[in-house]
Amino acid sequence: MSQGQSNERIADTIGVHWREEEVIRPPEDFVAQANMADPDIFKRMSEAHFPDCFDEYARLLDWSREWDRTLDDSNPPFFKWFVGGELNASVNCIDRHLEKAAERVAWHFIPESEEEAHEALSYGELSRRVNELASVLREDCGLECGDRVTLYLPMTLELPIAMLACARLGVIHSGVFSGYSGAACAERIVDSQSRVLITMDAYRRGGKLLDHKVKADEAAEKAQAAGCPIERMLVFSRYPGQYNSEAPMKEGRDLDANALVRNRAGATVAPQAMRAEDTLFLMYTSGTTGKPKGAQHSVGGYLAWVAATSKYVLDIKPEDTYWCMADIGWITGHSYIVYGPLALGTTSILYEGAPTTPDAGRPWRIAEQYGVNLFHTSPTAVRALRRADPELPKQFDLKFRAMTTVGEPIEPEAWRWYFEAIGHGRAVITDTWWQTENGGHLISTLPALHAMKPGSAGPALPGIHPVIFDEEGEAIPAGSGKAGNLCIRNPWPGRMLSIWGDDERFVKTYYARYNHDPKSRDWRDWPYLAGDGAVQSEDGFYRILGRIDDVINVAGHRLGTKELESACLTVAGVSEAAVVGVSDEVKGVQPEAFIALVDGAAPEKVVDAVKTSVTERIGPIARLRRVHVVPDLPKTRSGKIMRRILVALAEKRDPGNVATLANPEIVEAIHKQLAS
Ligand code: WTA
C-alpha cells in the first residue's frame, strides 16, 4: 500500500475537520508571573540530556531516600524511574505543607444543591481526616501495603480523602467513576482482586439525590459471583446521621464508615515509605478488546510528572484558587484535582454536581464567589455552556488567568468563545493532550513560552519526543502536515508501569506495533503507540485527529466499542452488533448501534432491550442515541465489520469506495433506510 493510501485510511477515521488557525500570543502580564518562562527548559530537556533531565521534576517532591538512578531501562518496555528513591504520596500532598500552611484551604467543597452549606477543608484538617481513615483501613479492615481497594465514590471530600489514606498505607486504590453501573464496578473489583469497597449511600447529581449503595450492592454481588467476594464494604453517609438508600446495610459485610472514623478520632498513621516504582493506583480504561485495562501508575514517576505539569502547564501556585470540573473518578481528576494540585499545596474547588444544575450560570457563580483564577474543563462542557447561553458568562466578574481543556479536540469556534466569553481575552488557554496511560500531559503549549493556536493542542512538552508513523512504520517527516499514528519515542516518568496483571497485553497494545526487535534493550527501539491519529504542522504544533482504534470518545469519556457491542449481544434476538461514534454538536460524538436480528425477533422490543442493556452494563454515559435495525452489517471479505462506513452513513456522508466489501449492496440498503 502506498503512503498516500494508508494516510487516507487514517484520515478516514478522524473527527477533526478544521484548518490551521492564526496564533494568539499570551498576555504579557501572564508571562511576567508564569511558573515557567525560561526558554532554556527545552535545551535542558532535549534528547541529549535524556533521561537525567527528569531529575528536575523529581526534585519538586520530598523524598525520604534519594534515588540512585534516574532510569532503569534494562528491561524495555518496563521502565523504572528514580530507582532506589523512596517517598510517600500523602506526605508530598499533605504533611510537607503543614508547617507553613496548615490553615490554608485545600478544598472548598460545594454541594450541588445551592441550599446546602459549603465546607472549607484546610490542609490541617485534611491531614487529620486522612490519618483517621488510614487508621480505619489498617485496624478495622486489616489492609496492608500492596493490597487493592476499590473506591466507588462520588465527587465529595471522602473520595480524595480515601485515595490519600490508601496512599499513606501503600494500599493501591482503584477508583471507579460513580456514574458507572454496578456491573462495570464489579468487573473492576474482580480484575484488581479488591477485598474492600469504599462507597457512599447517595449523592446529588442533576438535581436528584441518587441512590448509590444500591449499585454498590450490585457490584459486590456480581463480584462475588465471579469469585471475588467483598469482605468489607465501608459506607459513608452523604449526610452524616442519615441513610439515604433503599439497600439495607448487610450484616457482617457493611460498615458505617462515619462511625468507624469517629472511633479513630485523633489517630495518626506513620506514612509507609514506598519505592518510586511501587504502585500508587490503578485506573481502568477502555481498549480495543472488551475487557477494561487497569493502568498501573507508580508512586515516584507519576507524582513527579503530575507535580511538574501542574506547575508548568497549569501554572498552579500555592496562593491560587483552582477549579478542575472533571470527575475524580477519571484520570484527569486523579492527576489534576488530587495529586498534582495538592503536591503544589494550592486551594481547589471540589464541586459535587453537574455544571448546568440548576442552570448554566452555576459555574460562574461559584467562580465569582471564590475568586477562582485557574479553570480547567472539557470541550464538551465548553460547548454545552456556550449552547445554553453564549452571553451569560459576560455578566459575571470572572478573573481567570489560565484555562485548560482536556479530553477531546476543541473546535476553533468553541475555543474562541472560551477565550473571549469566559477568559475575557485575558486568560491563556492550554489544550492538553494525554491519556489515562500517560499519567499526565504530553502535548500542550507551555503557556508563557508558546503562542496559542485554536484547534491545535501544541508542541510536545519538554522531554517528550513524539513521532508520527504511517501504517508501514515509516516516520512521516516532522512538520509535514500529513496524518499518521502518533507515538512517543522515549519513556517518561508519568507513564503507567504496566496493565495490572497483564504485562503481555501491555507490550502488545502499546509497543508491538512499531517495535521490530522484542529482544532489544535500547529504549529507542520501543516507541509508545498512543492510538490517536495526528498531524504536525510546520511550526511543530500537533493537531490530534481522534482514535484510530475501536475506542470512541463520548463527551471526553473513553468507551470501548467492543464493550458496548457485547452489551448489545447479550440481548436475545440480536445476531450481530456494531457500535460507532457519530458526531454530536455538544458531546463530540455519541454512540449509535447497528444491529442485525435473528429470524423472527421483534425489532421494537429488541431495540429497547439493547438500550437498557448498555446503560445497565456500562452506565448512563454510554447511552445509545439511536439503534438501527439493519438486514446485515458491511463487512470485508475477511469478515471485519467496517465501522467507518457505518459512521459515514449515520452522519449522512459519502461512505467512499465500497467495492471491495464482501457485501457492498448492504451499504446502499442502509443508506436508503436511514434516508427514509
Ligand atoms: C483524547 C483523558 C484531542 C485522545 C486525559 C486520547 C484528546 C483520549 C485530548 C484519552 C486533546 C485527550 N485533544 N484529543 N487535548 N486529550 N484526548 O484516557 O483521543 O480518558 O487518546 O484520558 O482522549 O482519553 P483518556
Side-chain angles (χ1 to χ4, degrees):
M1 194 195 289
S2 78
Q3 188 180 304
Q5 263 175 331
S6 70
N7 290 335
E8 246 168 58
R9 210 162 80 198
I10 293 164
D12 250 1
T13 64
I14 68 180
V16 165
H17 41 77
W18 50 83
R19 291 172 301 124
E20 294 283 333
E21 296 277 323
E22 295 296 311
V23 299
I24 302 170
R25 299 239 133 248
E28 270 165 34
D29 44 354
F30 176 85
V31 177
Q33 59 78 60
N35 282 333
M36 180 50 72
D38 172 12
D40 201 43
I41 180 136
F42 294 104
K43 239 182 281 157
R44 288 203 304 278
M45 310 225 45
S46 67
E47 208 171 326
H49 299 289
F50 178 88
D52 296 347
C53 57
F54 290 117
D55 287 356
E56 182 174 331
Y57 286 6
R59 283 201 197 97
L60 294 172
L61 305 177
D62 285 1
W63 297 76
S64 52
R65 186 181 186 283
E66 270 276 315
W67 58 100
D68 311 308
R69 263 175 89 185
T70 303
L71 173 65
D72 173 355
D73 57 358
S74 58
N75 182 27
F78 300 94
F79 302 108
K80 291 184 192 162
W81 288 91
F82 312 122
V83 181
E86 290 183 358
L87 76 171
N88 181 283
S90 81
V91 168
N92 276 281
C93 290
I94 308 171
D95 304 43
R96 67 169 174 160
H97 307 311
L98 293 180
E99 197 182 318
K100 283 200 192 130
E103 302 300 317
R104 186 183 302 144
V105 173
W107 278 299
H108 291 286
F109 171 64
I110 303 173
E112 188 186 70
S113 160
E114 285 186 293
E115 317 283 286
E116 287 172 33
H118 299 182
E119 183 179 349
L121 187 79
S122 68
Y123 275 91
E125 287 158 337
L126 176 63
S127 170
R128 175 178 60 76
R129 288 181 61 176
V130 165
N131 273 279
E132 289 169 357
L133 184 58
S135 169
V136 168
L137 296 181
R138 190 173 65 188
E139 312 303 333
D140 299 302
C141 302
L143 286 168
E144 288 173 11
C145 185
D147 288 344
R148 277 83 54 207
V149 165
T150 297
L151 311 180
Y152 192 30
L153 285 163
M155 279 290 283
T156 58
L157 289 167
E158 285 76 6
L159 175 49
I161 288 170
M163 289 163 65
L164 293 159
C166 290
R168 196 160 190 87
L169 298 169
V171 166
I172 299 168
H173 57 78
S174 168
V176 176
F177 172 54
S178 57
Y180 267 136
S181 66
C185 180
E187 210 177 354
R188 288 152 176 79
I189 291 171
V190 174
D191 191 79
S192 63
Q193 294 284 301
S194 299
R195 292 181 297 117
V196 173
L197 180 71
I198 308 183
T199 190
M200 189 170 266
D201 60 341
Y203 64 97
R204 283 196 187 274
R205 182 92 194 169
K208 285 189 267 206
L209 186 63
L210 305 176
D211 189 334
H212 193 55
K213 168 70 161 56
V214 175
K215 294 203 302 179
D217 276 8
E218 188 197 336
E221 277 152 31
K222 292 214 153 86
Q224 174 147 26
C228 183
I230 288 294
E231 289 165 18
R232 291 273 175 266
M233 192 190 298
L234 297 192
V235 186
F236 280 102
S237 286
R238 170 65 185 80
Y239 300 98
Q242 296 178 24
Y243 183 67
N244 288 299
S245 170
E246 297 283 308
M249 294 288 277
K250 188 172 167 191
E251 274 232 22
R253 182 194 71 185
D254 298 353
L255 298 168
D256 173 347
N258 297 74
L260 292 178
V261 168
R262 263 197 313 277
N263 288 342
R264 302 276 164 203
T268 55
V269 170
Q272 173 76 38
M274 303 292 286
R275 292 179 307 180
E277 71 273 23
D278 283 336
T279 303
L280 178 60
F281 68 86
L282 307 180
M283 169 59 62
Y284 282 85
T285 190
S286 299
T288 32
T289 67
K291 195 173 164 229
K293 314 176 269 207
Q296 185 183 345
H297 280 289
S298 69
V299 183
Y302 170 82
L303 204 60
W305 197 255
V306 297
T309 49
S310 295
K311 186 159 180 177
Y312 303 139
V313 179
L314 305 179
D315 200 47
I316 291 178
K317 302 185 179 70
E319 51 287 358
D320 285 324
T321 303
Y322 162 80
W323 184 14
C324 172
M325 282 208 314
D327 194 293
I328 296 178
W330 304 108
I331 192 70
T332 299
H334 275 50
S335 298
Y336 299 117
I337 298 179
V338 182
Y339 286 114
L342 283 190
L344 301 180
T346 197
T347 298
S348 300
I349 302 289
L350 187 73
Y351 171 57
E352 175 180 29
T356 50
T357 301
D359 57 70
R362 189 69 195 278
W364 320 131
R365 290 198 287 282
I366 293 171
E368 210 179 50
Q369 181 180 358
Y370 286 98
V372 174
N373 58 353
L374 300 173
F375 189 64
H376 188 159
T377 192
S378 64
T380 291
V382 172
R383 290 189 290 258
L385 291 163
R386 179 180 181 215
R387 190 150 93 158
D389 183 351
E391 299 302 317
L392 188 67
K394 293 182 188 148
Q395 298 168 18
F396 293 85
D397 183 21
L398 301 177
K399 294 208 165 61
F400 300 138
R401 176 178 91 235
M403 307 193 300
T404 298
T405 68
V406 60
E408 315 148 69
I410 180 163
E411 310 66 0
E413 306 77 59
W415 191 101
R416 275 207 198 81
W417 180 78
Y418 193 33
F419 185 64
E420 274 145 28
I422 301 182
H424 298 321
R426 290 189 300 260
V428 293
I429 296 182
T430 45
D431 174 351
T432 56
W433 174 84
W434 59 292
Q435 314 174 289
T436 302
E437 295 87 337
N438 308 157
H441 310 141
L442 296 184
I443 290 179
S444 164
T445 49
L446 283 181
L449 291 170
H450 296 115
M452 302 170 261
K453 185 154 56 166
S456 295
L461 288 186
I464 297 297
H465 308 292
V467 55
I468 299 178
F469 283 121
D470 69 14
E471 294 284 307
E472 285 72 46
E474 289 297 321
I476 290 177
S480 66
K482 292 215 178 92
N485 291 329
L486 178 59
C487 295
I488 308 295
R489 282 197 292 118
N490 62 300
W492 68 96
R495 196 210 65 180
M496 68 202 280
L497 296 164
S498 185
I499 293 174
W500 180 254
D502 203 342
D503 287 349
E504 209 179 298
R505 189 174 175 200
F506 173 69
V507 177
K508 208 168 139 223
T509 309
Y510 305 104
Y511 291 96
R513 178 79 183 268
Y514 292 120
N515 166 263
H516 301 301
D517 174 10
K519 292 212 173 68
S520 168
R521 299 276 166 106
D522 186 343
W523 62 262
R524 290 168 195 80
D525 291 327
W526 294 89
Y528 166 87
L529 174 73
D532 278 335
V535 296
Q536 189 191 27
S537 62
E538 248 172 277
D539 57 8
F541 275 48
Y542 292 89
R543 261 184 308 155
I544 308 300
L545 304 175
R547 302 290 308 189
I548 50 167
D549 52 13
D550 296 330
V551 171
I552 55 177
N553 195 331
V554 180
H557 302 147
R558 232 168 107 168
L559 300 171
T561 50
K562 290 271 167 35
E563 287 164 71
L564 277 73
E565 284 162 10
S566 56
C568 298
L569 289 167
T570 59
V571 173
V574 177
S575 69
E576 279 191 298
V579 173
V580 294
V582 181
S583 299
D584 179 88
E585 221 181 287
V586 173
K587 297 192 166 174
V589 302
Q590 288 243 63
E592 295 193 8
F594 289 81
I595 55 172
L597 304 186
V598 296
D599 284 346
E604 301 82 62
K605 257 204 192 148
V606 174
V607 166
D608 287 344
V610 161
K611 286 188 174 163
T612 312
S613 171
V614 166
T615 35
E616 274 177 5
R617 274 160 202 273
I618 297 154
I621 48 161
R623 183 171 288 127
L624 296 170
R625 182 167 63 181
R626 293 189 293 181
V627 177
H628 310 277
V629 177
V630 293
D632 195 3
L633 298 168
K635 284 181 208 125
T636 60
R637 297 219 163 101
S638 60
K640 189 171 172 336
I641 297 173
M642 292 303 284
R643 291 188 180 74
R644 69 175 174 83
I645 292 179
L646 295 170
V647 178
L649 291 171
E651 291 177 351
K652 306 217 169 0
R653 286 188 288 110
D654 177 8
N657 182 7
V658 300
T660 55
L661 295 185
N663 53 353
E665 68 292 345
I666 200 66
V667 176
E668 189 47 33
I670 298 177
H671 176 72
K672 280 210 185 111
Q673 184 184 332
L674 292 179
S676 64

